[in-house]
Amino acid sequence: MTQLDKKATIIIVGSGTFGCSTALYLARQGYSNVTCLDKYGLPSPISAGNDINKVVDYTDDPENETPDMRIAREAVELWKSDPVFRDYYHDVGVILAAVSDEPLKSTEAFNREQKLKGRRTYEYLSSPEDFKKLIPGLTGPLKGWRGYYLDREGGWAHARKAMESAAAEAARLGVNFVSGANGEVKELAIDNSTGKCIGVVTASGNTITADRIIVSAGANAALIADFKGQLQAKCFTLAHIKLTEEENKLIKDTPVLFNYERGFFFEADEEKSEMKICNEFPGYTNLDENGESVPVARHEIPLEAEQGIRDLLRETIPELADKPFVKARICWCTDSPDRNLILTTHPEHDNVVLASGDSGKSYMLIPIIGKYISAIAIGGNEALSEGDRECFRWRPETSKLRDDTQHRWGGKGVVTDLKDIDEWTNIGWDQDELLDKTKY
């Protein structure tokens, strides 16, 4: 691939986490003809980044650092320093917990290795009292809980605000954001005479041509390009409850609490005093007649998920367990078979960049991921290091080895299709913040 001229036309399909980050990096490098296309105005109601908070964490292990570990570390450095993102990062630490042995095995092994090397280890939490020292608001039994406190390696970020900040800065630098029928990409546009990709076809029937096309469409990516079974769209569930001022004080500035088998929650949002809680389970699909999981926006959750959320609260802060939900919705991500990113040129069209495979753990990369995606768009796969190319390569052979649960514990322990869910919540909450609103 030849180096991309600064005036080349670039289309980014998807204005979510990866799309906004890539737009920002291209604009900062002086690319002046960049357009982001999305069905929805930003923030999209089905984007995983349209959320009040996301976990930010990484493993500090320079001797054994893999590409995905390095990118996570680089992201945290930028959460702390980049003016577009730093105001939305809360460096409070993360607690990783479980009841059974399997979920904590890798963390335990890492901790043992660190101790043998004489390096700093994570704080081991072996009793309910250990957890309650870190989060005074925990009044529940926490029966059988144990875990580790990652005190300087993470916290949480206000996801929606950070994504909007990235989009606003990209727009200020000249990126064009298009939504509606003219922004909804249905497929790649292929020239029948040459077989080359020349752009994209939108729901309005328009063909928009470009020199580079970046497919960063999140859970919709497999509907735009054939990923040969490498992607599976899954949704997970979240709910908000309203806290009083006194309730909020008990968890303010405390670590994110993540139990691999039960779920996780954060301190309350500073503006609305809403606390987000998620149950943990292997996820839901929404399979079409071709067996492809297709994302759909739904601002309610299955009753079984509500039960999981309330059970988590009963174990941790039981006085909150029966509070009414003020919000509840499903949130989509896109799993690759090995949960590593796919960052590469299309195997048949070297002017098309594929950026997907977030696997439920990549929102935290928004300050850095655009650096790598834009590098491929500008200079092709050779712009990445050999190790990065290998880690993030096109790898359809891995689809045969897919484990749908993907080391996610909790719930029924299996992936369930939404069409098999009969009972849902019905909260009737004000959804203005999730409506299609074009701001840029």
Side-chain angles (χ1 to χ4, degrees):
M1 180 187 287
T2 58
Q3 189 81 0
L4 198 64
D5 184 87
K6 291 292 178 71
K7 294 182 179 180
T9 54
I10 305 172
I11 287 174
I12 301 174
V13 183
S15 300
T17 301
F18 285 14
C20 286
S21 182
T22 304
L24 177 62
Y25 269 88
L26 286 168
R28 281 176 164 177
Q29 293 174 83
Y31 285 86
S32 58
N33 198 350
V34 180
T35 300
C36 269
L37 302 176
D38 200 299
K39 176 180 179 180
Y40 299 100
L42 197 143
S44 164
I46 65 170
S47 170
N50 187 2
D51 203 347
I52 61 170
N53 41 37
K54 295 288 187 186
V55 179
V56 174
D57 68 337
Y58 74 104
T59 301
D60 185 14
D61 188 12
E63 295 174 9
N64 302 295
E65 194 172 62
T66 58
D68 57 315
M69 292 167 63
R70 187 197 70 251
I71 289 179
R73 174 178 54 79
E74 292 172 346
V76 173
E77 292 169 358
L78 290 177
W79 276 114
K80 296 177 180 180
S81 62
D82 191 319
V84 169
F85 300 105
R86 66 190 177 199
D87 290 345
Y88 309 109
Y89 179 53
H90 299 256
D91 193 11
V92 296
V94 178
I95 295 172
L96 300 179
V99 175
S100 60
D101 294 337
E102 187 65 27
L104 290 173
K105 277 186 175 179
S106 62
T107 307
E108 289 173 340
F110 172 74
N111 226 33
R112 285 195 301 270
E113 184 179 349
Q114 294 293 91
K115 187 175 182 179
L116 288 171
K117 293 177 179 177
R119 300 185 65 194
R120 183 179 67 86
T121 59
Y122 299 145
E123 180 183 348
Y124 179 56
L125 311 177
S126 61
S127 69
E129 290 69 33
D130 289 341
F131 286 88
K132 292 174 184 181
K133 287 177 184 177
L134 295 170
I135 306 178
L138 297 177
T139 58
L142 297 166
K143 186 177 179 180
W145 283 48
R146 60 189 183 88
Y148 292 89
Y149 174 38
L150 285 59
D151 60 335
R152 284 179 288 175
E153 297 180 1
W156 65 274
H158 197 301
R160 183 184 307 117
K161 289 181 180 179
M163 187 165 66
E164 289 179 332
S165 178
E169 178 64 7
R172 187 187 73 80
L173 294 172
V175 174
N176 185 31
F177 288 83
V178 178
S179 61
N182 288 327
E184 182 182 357
V185 174
K186 305 301 288 186
E187 60 185 351
L188 299 175
I190 309 299
D191 186 309
N192 291 330
S193 61
T194 64
K196 294 182 179 180
C197 182
I198 58 172
V200 296
V201 179
T202 68
S204 62
N206 292 336
T207 295
I208 304 176
T209 60
D211 298 304
R212 291 286 189 274
I213 301 95
I214 300 169
V215 179
S216 57
N220 280 306
L223 302 178
I224 297 168
D226 184 359
F227 279 80
K228 306 296 183 183
Q230 293 175 87
L231 298 183
Q232 184 179 59
K234 286 183 188 165
C235 66
F236 298 85
T237 51
L238 63 90
H240 292 199
I241 58 175
K242 188 86 168 179
L243 299 190
T244 66
E245 185 176 343
E246 290 304 311
E247 290 167 340
N248 195 13
K249 286 180 181 178
L250 294 175
I251 58 171
K252 180 68 175 172
D253 297 322
T254 60
V256 176
L257 182 59
F258 192 121
N259 185 304
Y260 286 108
E261 299 159 292
R262 305 292 195 262
F264 55 97
F265 57 75
F266 310 73
E267 63 182 274
D269 171 57
E270 60 267 27
E271 291 182 355
K272 297 186 177 181
S273 197
E274 291 180 6
M275 175 184 177
K276 186 185 91 173
I277 316 101
C278 301
N279 59 310
E280 187 66 9
F281 64 107
Y284 295 110
T285 56
N286 182 44
L287 300 178
D288 63 14
E289 62 276 8
N290 299 315
E292 194 75 62
S293 184
V294 180
V296 60
R298 190 155 183 172
H299 303 127
E300 53 185 342
I301 60 176
L303 286 181
E304 64 183 23
E306 176 178 353
Q307 184 63 49
I309 288 170
R310 297 198 184 281
D311 286 346
L312 170 62
L313 289 173
R314 289 188 180 95
E315 289 193 59
T316 54
I317 314 177
E319 55 267 38
L320 303 181
D322 294 319
K323 279 205 164 196
F325 291 168
V326 294
K327 294 183 179 69
R329 73 181 182 99
I330 58 176
C331 176
W332 288 91
C333 70
T334 315
D335 286 354
S336 67
D338 55 11
R339 296 191 75 179
N340 268 335
L341 297 169
I342 297 173
L343 304 178
T344 184
T345 55
H346 192 289
E348 298 173 8
H349 309 288
D350 65 2
N351 65 328
V352 177
V353 177
L354 304 176
S356 193
D358 65 274
S359 300
K361 58 179 183 177
S362 297
Y363 174 82
M364 67 161 285
L365 302 180
I366 190 172
I368 191 65
I369 192 64
K371 172 185 175 180
Y372 294 91
I373 300 171
S374 64
I376 299 170
I378 294 168
N381 292 334
E382 294 302 312
L384 300 184
S385 69
E386 182 178 354
D388 287 0
R389 290 198 303 272
E390 173 64 21
C391 186
F392 306 133
R393 73 187 189 284
W394 177 259
R395 48 192 190 278
E397 70 280 1
T398 60
S399 63
K400 299 176 183 178
L401 306 174
R402 178 185 297 280
D403 170 14
D404 283 352
T405 61
Q406 299 223 312
H407 299 289
R408 291 186 176 105
W409 294 270
K412 295 181 292 189
V414 296
V415 175
T416 305
D417 196 71
L418 290 179
K419 290 185 289 298
D420 296 326
I421 300 297
D422 296 322
E423 297 181 293
W424 293 73
T425 58
N426 185 15
I427 299 170
W429 55 278
D430 182 359
Q431 299 171 21
D432 283 350
E433 66 188 287
L434 291 173
L435 294 180
D436 180 7
K437 297 182 290 184
T438 303
K439 296 183 179 181
Y440 309 108

